[in-house]
Amino acid sequence: MDAAFRTLGYSLTSRTESRLKVFTVQEARVYPKRTPRYEIRHLAWYKARFAAMEIEELYQQYCIRLKHWLLISLLMISVGYGSTLILIDIASTQTFKTEGEVMHITAGSVGTAITLLLLIVTCIEPLFRKLSAFITTLTWLTLLTGTYVYIGFNDCRSPTDDVPSIYFIIVVTYTMLPLSLLWAVLVGSITGLSQIFLAGFFALRNREYLEYQLIANCVIFLCANLVGLYHKYLTEIAHRRTFLDTRNCIESRIKLEHEREQQEKLLLSVIPVHLAVEMKNEMISKITFCSCRRPSNNKNPFSTTRFHELYVKSHNNVSILFSDIVNFTPLASECTAAQLVKMLNELFGRFDKLAQENDCLRIKILGDCYYCVSGLPVSRPNHATNCVKMGLKMIEAIRLVREATGVNVDMRIGIHTGNVLCGVLGLRKWQYDVWSDDVTLANHMESAGVPGRVHISRCTLMHLNNKFEVEPGYGQDRDQYIKERNTETYLIVPPEHGKVTLRTNGKQQYETDARASARMSKFLDSWGADKPFANLTEYTMAKNIGETSLAMMEASISPGACTADPRQWCKSEDIHSVSLTFHNTGMEVDYNKQPDTAFKYYVSCATLIFLCMAIVQGLMLPRRTGFIVGYGAGLVLFGSLSVISLAETFLGQRWCSNKVITFLARIAGMVTESLVARLGIASVSMATSLILAVVTITECDASERPESSNTTNTASGTGKCDFAPYYIFCSLMALTCCTVFLKVHFMLKFIFMLLAVTSYNLVLHLFDSQVFDYYDLHQYGTASFFMSTRLKGSIYLLVLLITLHILDRQTEHTSRLDFLWKTKFKVEHDEVETMGSLTKVLLENILPAHVAGHFLDSDRHNLGLYHESYSSVCVMFASIPNFKEFYHQNTINKQGLECLRLLNEIIAEFDMLLSKPKFSCVEKIKTIGSTYMAAAGLQPGKEENKVMNDDAEDYYNKPKNNPVDNSRSEHYINIMTEFALNMMNVLEGINRDSFNIFSLRIGINHGPVVAGVIGAQKPQYDIWGDTVNVASRMDSTGEMGKIHVPDKTAQVLMNSGFNCTLRGDIKIKGKEHPIRTHFITPS
């Protein structure tokens, strides 16, 4: 980025750096604490962050929308499940023989009907949003009571009949119902405990080894609750992260627009819109090019031209107005910094309003000189009339000041009509300006004018169409340039004061015994001019961004706008509707390259499910060789994977070997970063769990299986399979094990689950069907009204497969959406940084860096006028007198445009000198035609950077014997002189290349100055004071090729080793007595 700005000729004085939060931990003497390479933020952090940002309520609305279609999916699955059971019950019995059978089917039908009604109500989104808590509670109660009532009317009820349904309800409570984490834990626990209670007291059959069955059921429900809690915790973190990323992305967009608006305002405060667009596009193009990575052999297209870009346009038939405040210099000499800046801001602020009212464009402020143009950038036929009206109102405004305060100030105004070239020159401190012989003539019209009168040329008079009464001006008698041009001049006869629209608004006359500056300052307060950069509302930006982003997010939480809506999966422009992969291959690759910092939790949860399966099978199913070998190998596998995955968590613990844990942590880091490794571990874990769920079914001894319901069961662990449904329960847990790998692609998990369900059904209905048939015979005996365990098992497996697939798809979509938002946020964040840097450069191109920081960083709501007073600043004026001889307007040089191109190169080279660290204390102030003005020593905090309440005269008369101040002042003078000498060398090089003989005439002076920013519509930084005036006279009275300095500056330079030649005593404007001056002789 710095290279981009150096291409533009700028150097940033400060850079915004991202600050990382470092948590320091006291290290143990023997076992130093090591921080894991990857960390994920916990849910408590997100909750605290959301509470601090006051977006928790909005997030809860987002969660309701997110769970809405999951709840609809759950109700649809429930309706399908209930309808299937009812149809099977009806089909299995031709005639209902008992009242229990009728009640059984009736209960199922009523429960399904209630679920269908809930589905219809839930689909009505406005109603659901109002009654979400009620609908959620009713859904849970319907599922739970429907299960118990449906099973309760079965005469063959056993402790295991409703275990799959309860397991399913617990899982969906955490994953599909819009409940908070605390409520989900409470509801899931109640659901599991209720089954244990009912099974223990109301089971009618198969009560042998009831305590074993209840313990196994507790393990299954505990597993369901823990897996649900795990899924709820991690998915809520993912949802909060996605929500936060979405808000950040929206904020970036708003901030980007804000930066663009600020940039427009800053640029338009210096340059009219017709040039601003061209310059801004050029700057952005250069920054974009330099920010992009490109091969070293590619050349910068912006460096192929020999010249710097020239932003100058020509305009014909315009009128130029120059004005000067008469007697302002002595008035300013007695002002404090605050009074002077405030006075100028009020005066020129009023003049800016008058210019706007009269269709004039203010060009520049030079001390107390104000000049503007009418007829550009939009051509106006009445441009001369506009300027005359503007001049008359300026005189009237000053008249009011004079009459109200008794201060002898007036306006001298000159107007000329002709053609101009307008634009900006150089690389730094752009100021819109105009050039041409007609502009020079307009300037001389002002200097040859009469106080209180508008002085116009004959060209201007010809465009007035007799709208004003005039009288001879005799300007040629007062100015040699006008006389050489043989220009006739006239004075506008002022109208009567009663016809002027400006009034004193009844303001009282101020005390005549007060100082003139104080009286004038008090009167100008009543004008109420805007402060500089009042249009930049940075202090409210953060609040506005927050409010706007929340409003946009609230708008996005509307019907059909939520990402959980399956309809949105098919409409995404970035994500494939079926596979949920990104259309952009590069983005897909980047997504897969992401490290998965939560993978260790996936493995831990899979290990938990494996242990629960082992406990259940150990309690209720045969424990022979297959069980020992299979689960022994599984224990080694899952134990190893868990230790490796959690190795980083163990870093720094006293009870473990640092070398071993460090090695394992390195492996864990590789797994976290490698997609292949994660897919391999996930595949092995899923396959192992799915296989072990039914592996011991092959050890069931058919010869020892019971043949009737009267057979007495032996202890579990023998070859008998008296509790065959637990194979189905373990299969359900194994399917759930697939879904705990949240970041594994849902299609891979679906393939594993589909293969597993297919295999389980083959076991149920083909390979080991007799195991479940013997169980049904033992369970139901000769009962005619029952559904076979094999058929129920197939239904349970299919329902859970569909449910988990919907969850996996939604989790995948949320994860990819989060990545998409992060990617967009990163791109827009880079754009915001670029725009912010560009805005800062633009502002620093208008103001010095420290002044720009003042306006950007301060609370603008309470920001006053910016002003500073310095006791010793070195000021330089460097002009090229013979450029006027070089400048000609003809068709060959495009009416002077090519002459300005060369001047632009000269000024740009001078500006580039400022980029050298040696001249960092030199600040360019402005350019006036071919004159370059700069100052050294304007850094804040180095001088008297404060608002002075005492009189300026008393302040400047205070003794300044501080050695530190004197040393700093000498440093500034030396640096400025070296800068002037470097300018001479640069100009000599340009002369050699362009075959010209330009020469600099330089004047330097040092002393106290007042600095400040004035002008609301076009803020301008400037410095004032006698030091500035004398430096200007040193230039105008100097000689070409020499540096002209007063005696006090020469003494400092001679003490520093510079060669100075005495010139003598000369008379300069503004000084009663001649002053002694010297020329600096280059060594």
Side-chain angles (χ1 to χ4, degrees), residues 186-246:
L186 181 61
V187 171
S189 302
I190 292 175
T191 302
L193 291 174
S194 64
Q195 196 280 337
I196 301 298
F197 175 79
L198 293 176
F201 289 97
F202 297 99
L204 301 178
R205 296 198 181 195
N206 205 17
R207 295 182 60 88
E208 296 85 357
Y209 302 103
L210 179 62
E211 64 277 9
Y212 286 93
Q213 296 182 66
L214 295 181
I215 293 174
N217 293 353
C218 285
V219 172
I220 293 172
F221 299 147
L222 178 63
C223 177
N225 275 280
L226 292 177
V227 171
L229 179 63
Y230 153 87
H231 191 280
K232 181 81 172 178
Y233 186 87
L234 290 187
T235 52
E236 183 168 354
I237 290 178
H239 293 160
R240 287 181 179 270
R241 184 173 58 245
T242 303
F243 184 85
L244 200 59
D245 291 339
T246 303

Side-chain angles (χ1 to χ4, degrees), residues 260-449:
R260 286 173 178 165
E261 290 178 4
Q262 298 291 70
Q263 182 193 118
E264 291 288 341
K265 292 176 182 178
L266 288 172
L267 199 56
L268 293 178
S269 70
V270 184
I271 306 163
V273 66
H274 66 288
L275 280 180
V277 175
E278 179 184 352
M279 297 182 68
K280 185 184 71 172
N281 292 338
E282 184 73 14
M283 293 176 67
I284 293 177
S285 298
K286 291 182 179 181
I287 291 174
T288 304
F289 178 83
C290 293
S291 299
C292 296
R293 294 181 178 179
R294 60 184 188 275
S296 58
N297 58 350
N298 286 2
K299 293 183 179 180
N300 188 340
F302 302 103
S303 63
T304 57
T305 177
R306 182 176 179 84
F307 298 103
H308 293 88
E309 201 70 34
L310 179 64
Y311 302 102
V312 175
K313 304 293 182 183
S314 62
H315 290 271
N316 300 326
N317 293 323
V318 300
S319 292
I320 310 106
L321 180 149
F322 275 81
S323 65
D324 186 67
I325 304 176
V326 181
N327 294 329
F328 185 79
T329 301
L331 178 67
S333 64
E334 64 179 38
C335 291
T336 65
Q339 288 175 339
L340 178 59
V341 174
K342 190 173 185 179
M343 188 185 306
L344 290 172
N345 186 70
E346 294 290 344
L347 278 172
F348 294 139
R350 170 57 66 92
F351 294 165
D352 283 344
K353 290 182 179 179
L354 293 177
Q356 189 174 9
E357 293 172 1
N358 291 279
D359 295 324
C360 294
L361 176 67
R362 190 246 283 178
I363 302 299
K364 192 178 289 188
I365 298 171
L366 301 174
D368 57 351
C369 177
Y370 181 101
Y371 64 101
C372 60
V373 176
S374 180
L376 67 84
V378 179
S379 179
R380 301 181 186 277
N382 58 340
H383 52 83
T385 304
N386 292 337
C387 280
V388 172
K389 288 182 178 179
M390 170 76 179
L392 291 173
K393 290 188 176 182
M394 292 172 75
I395 291 173
E396 180 63 17
I398 287 295
R399 183 188 66 82
L400 292 176
V401 174
R402 183 173 62 251
E403 293 179 355
T405 63
V407 179
N408 185 24
V409 290
D410 212 331
M411 292 296 296
R412 189 171 55 233
I413 294 175
I415 301 175
H416 176 61
T417 300
N419 306 325
V420 298
L421 294 170
C422 59
V424 295
L425 297 181
L427 300 175
R428 288 172 172 254
K429 297 298 183 292
W430 288 330
Q431 289 186 4
Y432 190 68
D433 209 344
V434 290
W435 305 268
S436 72
D437 293 336
D438 293 319
V439 174
T440 304
L441 181 58
N443 190 10
H444 284 273
M445 290 295 297
E446 176 272 315
S447 59

Side-chain angles (χ1 to χ4, degrees), residues 518-814:
R519 298 199 305 271
M520 189 168 179
S521 179
K522 288 182 180 179
F523 176 76
L524 292 177
D525 281 345
S526 64
W527 285 4
D530 292 334
K531 295 181 177 63
F533 299 104
N535 58 338
L536 300 184
T537 55
E538 184 78 17
Y539 73 98
T540 60
M541 185 188 71
K543 182 179 180 180
N544 291 340
I545 285 179
E547 293 176 352
T548 308
S549 62
L550 289 179
M552 292 180 67
M553 293 194 71
E554 287 175 352
S556 67
I557 303 176
S558 58
C562 186
T563 58
D565 188 344
R567 294 174 299 184
Q568 298 299 310
W569 297 345
C570 301
K571 298 178 181 179
S572 175
E573 297 178 356
D574 302 291
I575 301 176
H576 194 275
S577 58
V578 177
S579 64
L580 295 185
T581 55
F582 293 109
H583 293 300
N584 188 323
T585 306
M587 186 175 292
E588 180 67 24
V589 172
D590 292 339
Y591 175 79
N592 291 324
K593 286 183 178 179
Q594 290 184 111
D596 190 354
T597 55
F599 189 76
K600 57 185 177 182
Y601 301 122
Y602 308 162
V603 176
S604 301
C605 191
T607 304
L608 171 67
I609 296 175
F610 163 79
L611 292 175
C612 291
M613 289 169 52
I615 294 173
V616 170
Q617 292 203 20
L619 285 172
M620 306 307 302
L621 298 171
R623 296 193 298 266
R624 288 188 174 181
T625 305
F627 173 83
I628 296 173
V629 173
Y631 277 92
L635 183 62
V636 173
L637 173 66
F638 281 102
S640 301
L641 294 178
S642 297
V643 171
I644 292 174
S645 301
L646 297 174
E648 288 186 316
T649 308
F650 301 147
L651 284 176
Q653 301 296 328
R654 292 177 177 273
W655 51 267
C656 61
S657 172
N658 281 332
K659 292 183 179 180
V660 175
I661 293 300
T662 302
F663 174 74
L664 295 178
R666 189 179 298 113
I667 298 177
M670 295 172 58
V671 172
T672 301
E673 291 181 338
S674 173
L675 174 65
V676 176
R678 295 197 303 270
L679 290 179
I681 293 175
S683 299
V684 171
S685 300
M686 290 187 291
T688 302
S689 299
L690 293 171
I691 292 172
L692 291 177
V694 294
V695 69
T696 60
I697 198 172
T698 57
E699 296 183 326
C700 289
D701 190 354
S703 63
E704 297 183 12
R705 287 169 185 148
E707 298 180 355
S708 68
S709 60
N710 298 324
T711 303
T712 304
N713 288 286
T714 57
S716 65
T718 66
K720 297 181 180 180
C721 294
D722 299 340
F723 303 98
Y726 280 97
Y727 283 115
I728 299 175
F729 305 159
C730 289
S731 300
L732 296 177
M733 288 191 288
L735 288 178
T736 310
C737 182
C738 295
T739 202
V740 301
F741 292 91
L742 299 180
K743 286 293 186 68
V744 174
H745 196 276
F746 80 102
M747 289 300 295
L748 178 63
K749 293 186 284 186
F750 179 70
I751 290 173
F752 271 95
M753 289 190 295
L754 184 62
L755 291 175
V757 170
T758 303
S759 301
Y760 293 157
N761 276 282
L762 290 176
V763 171
L764 286 171
H765 299 287
L766 185 61
F767 299 123
D768 289 282
S769 60
Q770 67 274 17
V771 174
F772 300 95
D773 291 339
Y774 277 114
Y775 171 80
D776 289 343
L777 180 62
H778 172 69
Q779 171 71 14
Y780 302 109
T782 58
S784 60
F785 184 75
F786 72 92
M787 187 183 303
S788 69
T789 300
R790 293 187 288 114
L791 182 58
K792 288 190 293 185
S794 297
I795 295 174
Y796 295 147
L797 291 171
L798 181 61
V799 169
L800 188 62
L801 170 65
I802 296 173
T803 303
L804 294 181
H805 177 65
I806 292 174
L807 283 174
D808 290 339
R809 188 177 178 88
Q810 191 265 349
T811 302
E812 180 81 16
H813 191 269
T814 302

Side-chain angles (χ1 to χ4, degrees), residues 820-870:
L820 186 63
W821 279 117
K822 284 182 178 179
T823 304
K824 291 183 177 180
F825 171 72
K826 184 178 183 302
V827 173
E828 294 186 358
H829 180 71
D830 292 342
E831 291 182 5
V832 168
E833 284 192 342
T834 301
M835 287 297 176
S837 299
L838 185 56
T839 300
K840 186 175 182 180
V841 167
L842 286 172
L843 187 56
E844 290 182 1
N845 204 28
I846 302 170
L847 308 172
H850 66 280
V851 183
H854 172 80
F855 284 100
L856 285 177
D857 302 334
S858 300
D859 183 4
R860 201 167 291 114
H861 184 66
N862 300 314
L863 196 62
L865 289 171
Y866 180 84
H867 52 83
E868 293 177 305
S869 294
Y870 297 95

Side-chain angles (χ1 to χ4, degrees), residues 24-34:
T24 57
V25 181
Q26 184 177 1
E27 297 182 352
R29 179 173 299 177
V30 181
Y31 300 97
K33 180 70 175 179
R34 298 186 183 181

Side-chain angles (χ1 to χ4, degrees), residues 29-226:
R29 179 173 299 177
V30 181
Y31 300 97
K33 180 70 175 179
R34 298 186 183 181
T35 304
R37 252 199 310 183
Y38 299 101
E39 294 181 344
I40 62 172
R41 298 193 184 279
H42 297 288
L43 185 59
W45 183 90
Y46 282 101
K47 287 185 175 181
R49 179 78 181 275
F50 278 45
M53 298 172 67
E54 299 180 351
I55 57 175
E56 181 66 30
E57 183 178 353
L58 186 62
Y59 168 74
Q60 295 302 329
Q61 297 177 25
Y62 168 78
C63 285
I64 292 175
R65 285 290 307 127
L66 201 64
K67 295 288 187 179
H68 182 214
W69 279 97
L70 287 178
L71 181 58
I72 291 177
S73 301
L74 171 62
L75 292 173
M76 292 175 65
I77 292 172
S78 300
V79 170
Y81 171 68
S83 301
T84 301
L85 292 180
I86 294 171
L87 291 175
I88 293 175
D89 286 341
I90 295 175
S92 63
T93 304
Q94 299 296 330
T95 57
F96 301 126
K97 299 179 180 179
T98 64
E99 181 179 354
E101 296 175 356
V102 176
M103 294 297 295
H104 184 82
I105 295 178
T106 302
S109 301
V110 172
T112 304
I114 295 175
T115 306
L116 180 61
L117 181 62
L118 282 173
L119 175 61
I120 295 173
V121 173
T122 305
C123 289
I124 305 173
E125 181 151 356
L127 187 61
F128 170 75
R129 297 181 70 177
K130 292 181 180 179
L131 304 174
S132 59
F134 175 75
I135 293 175
T136 300
T137 304
L138 192 58
T139 299
W140 172 69
L141 289 175
T142 301
L143 295 176
L144 188 62
T145 56
T147 298
Y148 291 146
V149 171
Y150 181 77
I151 300 296
F153 287 101
N154 187 349
D155 295 334
C156 303
R157 178 189 176 105
S158 72
T160 60
D161 284 345
D162 49 7
V163 169
S165 298
I166 298 302
Y167 181 86
F168 173 79
I169 293 173
I170 293 175
V171 170
V172 298
T173 295
Y174 287 93
T175 58
M176 287 186 159
L177 295 182
L179 296 172
S180 65
L181 187 62
L182 181 61
W183 277 105
V185 172
L186 181 61
V187 171
S189 302
I190 292 175
T191 302
L193 291 174
S194 64
Q195 196 280 337
I196 301 298
F197 175 79
L198 293 176
F201 289 97
F202 297 99
L204 301 178
R205 296 198 181 195
N206 205 17
R207 295 182 60 88
E208 296 85 357
Y209 302 103
L210 179 62
E211 64 277 9
Y212 286 93
Q213 296 182 66
L214 295 181
I215 293 174
N217 293 353
C218 285
V219 172
I220 293 172
F221 299 147
L222 178 63
C223 177
N225 275 280
L226 292 177

